[in-house]
Every structure is written in C-alpha cells, then in structure tokens.
Amino acid sequence: MSQTLINPVELEKLLAISCGITTDSGDDRFKAILTQLLGDVCRTIDKFDVTDEEFWQAVNYLNVLGERKEVALLAAGLGLEHFLDMRADAKAEAEGTAGGTPRTIEGPLYVANAPLAEGYTRMDDGTDEGEPMWLYGRVTDPQGNPVAGAVVDIWHANTLGNYSFFDRSQSEYNLRRRIKTGADGYYAVRSILPSGYGCPPDGPTQTLLNQLGRHGNRPAHIHFFVSAPGCKHLTTQINLNGDLWLWDDFAFATREELIADPVSVTDKALARERDMPSPHTEVKFDFQLVPSKESREQEKIKRERVLG
C-alpha cells in the first residue's frame, strides 16, 4: 500500500520541535541533518502504511544490531561505506586531486597498534597450515619515485575467514603487521593466503540480507592502510583474482585496479632467498600515494576502532 495520511504542516511542526529547530541552543547543522533524516523516516512510514508492529520490530532489530556490534558490518553490506568512497572519488575528481591507488572500504575488523617492522616481517604465527604467501610491493609517488618511511599497515583473515582479536583462538596480532619502507620504497611480508568469508549466519546483518534476497559473502582480500608524511592517507584492500565472489562482494569493495594475481613460485633458489617453502604463492601489489593539501588528509578518518 502506498498512501499519505499525515498533514505535512503538522509533520513539519512536530519535526521542528523534536529536532530543536525552535530553540536557539544546539548545533544548527546537526539539527538540519536530523530534521531531514527523521522527516524521511516519517514520510516513509506514512507512504507505505508501516504498522506499529513493524515499527517496533525495526526498533528491536536496531537493538540487536548494536548488541551484536554489527552496525559497521551492515553499513558495508547496504553499500553505505562504498557510497562514501564514491562520493570521495567524485569530490577528488571535481577538485582536480584524483589519482594514486584507488581507495575502498576499511570494514569493521581493524585492530590498531600492530607490531611495526622495517622493510620485511612475518605475519602468521605458524599455526595455520594455509598456503604460504609472499606479499610484496613498492610505495611510490605519482612520478614513480620511492616513498621512504611509508607505513604499510596490513591485516587479513585466516584460512577459515576469521580475524585475530575477534577470533580468540588466534594469537595476538596474528595476520596483522605494520611495515615501514626503506629508501627503496619496498615492503614485503611472509603470510598465508586468506580465505573469503560470509556474515555470521545467525546475525542481524544476514537476517536483513535474507529479507532482501542477498547473500553475505566476501571474496578473499587483504586490507591496507598506507601512510607517509606529506601524503594522503590511503585506505584500501586488494582482492585475489580467481575467487568465486570476486565480482559479487556483498560489501561492494571490489575495484578493477585493486585485483592482484596470485602466482605460484616453484623456483627453489628464490624460495631460499625469501626463507619460504617451495612452492609458495606470490602476490605483488604496488601503491601510489598522492600529496596532501592539508595535514588532516595524512591521517585515517576518525571512527571507533579496536585499541584506538
């Protein structure tokens, strides 16, 4: 059913009072945003004749969503986090500041203050018998010059699709490391190939996706923050080519420029040089950072994260 029963003048009066428009105190921008948001909710209820029971079911759903700490997961699943990237890309294009490695969503599973190493480190603790992975690349500026002192912050799932800290069976900071580049701009890590994963099947995010007729699967991917003095902070992730869900990521994070090709390495001399098993899988990905115009652009956006 699509109908409107509420007098719009009466609705505006209600919104003006509930959102503080009639008072001189408070934040004017916040008031305007909330007035728009609540007005849209009220008009939607009226248009679709949402029942009282449906309304309170929605309220209960939000309670469960918060209790399960899946609000950020749902924001990704509904495309809201991707929308922020779309808007940031459009803004950069309009300002003439576009360029560098493309951004994509951060997701909800970052943990701050991972161990920091110079140039190279091992990320896995050796307990997961996954395919050994040599992940490496170079951080450069737009002219291709190496960026020394860049910090490449990496995190990814294990072979079961689980992340340390959130999965208490894993050791502290397993599959989470920060690597500082040297004068050559290179970073390298030994790790294991991550697996894709799905939303918790009993969680509120998957419950909503079911109502939409959608799955909650993500392809195998690796997250990155890349930062350096004088450069825009980069939030991105790469997908591993060949994954079943590569172009059907429920979180809308896949971008053509962010797909890496896993390569099987059977050269025993190269494996010895890397202190890696033979064979192992090699994943190469280079990052290009662009200059920042303001110091705030050098920092990751402020949002709630584990341990800072």
Side-chain angles (χ1 to χ4, degrees), residues 114-137:
L116 178 65
E118 301 281 341
Y120 161 81
T121 190
R122 181 168 178 172
M123 293 182 63
D124 69 297
D125 62 10
T127 61
D128 192 321
E129 297 182 358
E131 170 69 17
M133 174 180 69
W134 179 263
L135 170 66
Y136 74 108

Side-chain angles (χ1 to χ4, degrees), residues 53-68:
E53 286 188 3
E54 289 172 328
F55 174 82
W56 290 112
Q57 285 173 4
V59 170
N60 293 339
Y61 174 83
L62 293 176
N63 285 334
V64 174
L65 192 67
E67 289 169 359
R68 290 287 296 261

Side-chain angles (χ1 to χ4, degrees), residues 230-286:
C231 299
K232 284 186 178 181
H233 182 279
L234 174 64
T235 299
T236 196
Q237 59 184 270
I238 62 173
N239 293 101
L240 302 183
N241 209 354
D243 191 283
L244 173 65
W245 303 104
L246 180 63
W247 290 109
D248 194 15
D249 179 1
F250 102 102
F252 306 96
T254 304
R255 301 186 68 159
E256 184 72 48
E257 308 94 326
L258 298 176
I259 298 174
D261 293 310
V263 176
S264 179
V265 175
T266 56
D267 185 326
K268 293 184 178 180
L270 179 57
R272 283 194 299 271
E273 180 183 323
R274 293 173 170 174
D275 192 24
M276 291 284 289
S278 178
H280 64 266
T281 295
E282 172 186 290
V283 177
K284 181 177 186 294
F285 201 85
D286 297 329

Side-chain angles (χ1 to χ4, degrees), residues 3-225:
Q3 63 179 4
T4 54
L5 298 174
I6 297 299
N7 185 316
V9 174
E10 292 300 314
L11 175 58
E12 292 305 319
K13 286 181 181 179
L14 173 62
L15 293 172
I17 296 171
S18 66
C19 298
I21 302 300
T22 57
T23 68
D24 294 328
S25 59
D27 183 284
D28 289 340
R29 184 170 184 271
F30 182 73
K31 291 179 184 183
I33 292 171
L34 191 59
T35 300
Q36 178 71 48
L37 181 61
L38 286 183
D40 288 345
V41 171
C42 290
R43 283 182 281 271
T44 298
I45 291 171
D46 196 32
K47 179 178 179 180
F48 292 98
D49 194 23
V50 174
T51 67
D52 290 2
E53 286 188 3
E54 289 172 328
F55 174 82
W56 290 112
Q57 285 173 4
V59 170
N60 293 339
Y61 174 83
L62 293 176
N63 285 334
V64 174
L65 192 67
E67 289 169 359
R68 290 287 296 261
K69 297 187 181 299
E70 287 194 15
V71 178
L73 182 64
L74 182 62
L78 291 180
L80 291 173
E81 193 171 4
H82 178 60
F83 172 76
L84 295 178
D85 287 337
M86 291 170 59
R87 192 169 183 276
D89 285 347
K91 187 175 182 180
E93 194 69 38
E95 294 174 346
T97 59
T101 300
R103 64 173 59 82
T104 195
I105 71 168
E106 174 184 336
L109 300 172
Y110 177 72
V111 176
N113 305 315
L116 178 65
E118 301 281 341
Y120 161 81
T121 190
R122 181 168 178 172
M123 293 182 63
D124 69 297
D125 62 10
T127 61
D128 192 321
E129 297 182 358
E131 170 69 17
M133 174 180 69
W134 179 263
L135 170 66
Y136 74 108
R138 192 164 175 250
V139 182
T140 68
D141 65 17
Q143 289 72 46
N145 302 308
V147 176
V151 175
V152 184
D153 196 341
I154 310 172
W155 68 104
H156 67 77
N158 65 8
T159 55
L160 297 176
N162 298 325
Y163 287 78
S164 61
F165 183 88
F166 303 94
D167 171 15
R168 296 299 184 179
S169 70
Q170 296 186 50
S171 61
E172 185 178 32
Y173 287 112
N174 186 42
L175 307 176
R176 300 178 185 274
R177 289 296 186 274
R178 292 178 295 158
I179 304 93
K180 181 177 286 188
T181 62
D184 57 5
Y186 277 95
Y187 74 94
V189 300
R190 172 178 173 169
S191 193
I192 56 173
L193 279 175
S195 172
Y197 53 87
C199 294
D202 63 339
T205 299
Q206 189 58 57
T207 297
L208 186 145
L209 292 173
N210 290 342
Q211 288 290 97
L212 299 176
R214 292 181 52 203
H215 68 76
N217 295 304
R218 297 218 59 207
H221 59 279
I222 303 169
H223 294 269
F224 296 88
F225 284 154

